[in-house]
Amino acid sequence: MNIYVYTGTSIFILLLFIATIYFINKSKKQNKKIDSTKLVETIFSIFSKDNIVDVESEVSRVKITVKDIEVINLDRLEEITEGVFISGNTMKIIFKNADSDLAEEIKNKL
């Protein structure tokens, strides 16, 4: 009887340890910041530099004003964002895992 208790307890502790390691690694991957240079290039491929009028940072969002909103591939934009809010020619965008300095990086490369 004691051998079953010790074996069962050992297996439970081992499985608990493996599950803990798995979930720690999974959360680290989800919170990992993406390469901002690559993100800026992707943004320019979606918006086109010539189409961007202004870029500002608003708390956790990037506010981008464009000349013509019709030429933007919104499906592609939604793939790299957590939300896009459009008002006229202005878009407020929450980018996935982006740094807070993303708006400045975009401005600097315009």
Side-chain angles (χ1 to χ4, degrees), residues 9-27:
T9 304
S10 298
I11 291 172
F12 176 76
I13 291 172
L14 179 63
L15 291 175
L16 185 63
F17 177 74
I18 292 170
T20 302
I21 297 298
Y22 171 78
F23 286 113
I24 288 172
N25 286 335
K26 185 176 180 180
S27 69

Side-chain angles (χ1 to χ4, degrees), residues 38-101:
K38 187 175 181 181
L39 179 58
V40 171
E41 289 173 9
T42 304
I43 292 167
F44 286 147
S45 73
I46 295 169
F47 283 89
S48 169
K49 284 185 182 183
D50 298 334
N51 194 29
I52 298 175
V53 175
D54 189 33
V55 179
E56 297 177 32
S57 179
E58 288 189 350
V59 190
S60 63
R61 297 181 177 116
V62 176
K63 180 178 168 184
I64 300 177
T65 305
V66 296
K67 293 176 189 173
D68 185 5
I69 203 147
E70 297 296 322
V71 298
I72 297 170
N73 184 345
L74 294 176
D75 292 331
R76 176 70 179 111
L77 182 61
E78 288 179 4
E79 290 175 8
I80 63 168
T81 67
E82 300 223 355
V84 179
F85 308 96
I86 302 171
S87 176
N89 283 0
T90 301
M91 305 174 88
K92 293 182 181 179
I93 307 165
I94 302 171
F95 287 97
K96 297 177 182 177
N97 301 321
D99 291 336
S100 59
D101 299 330

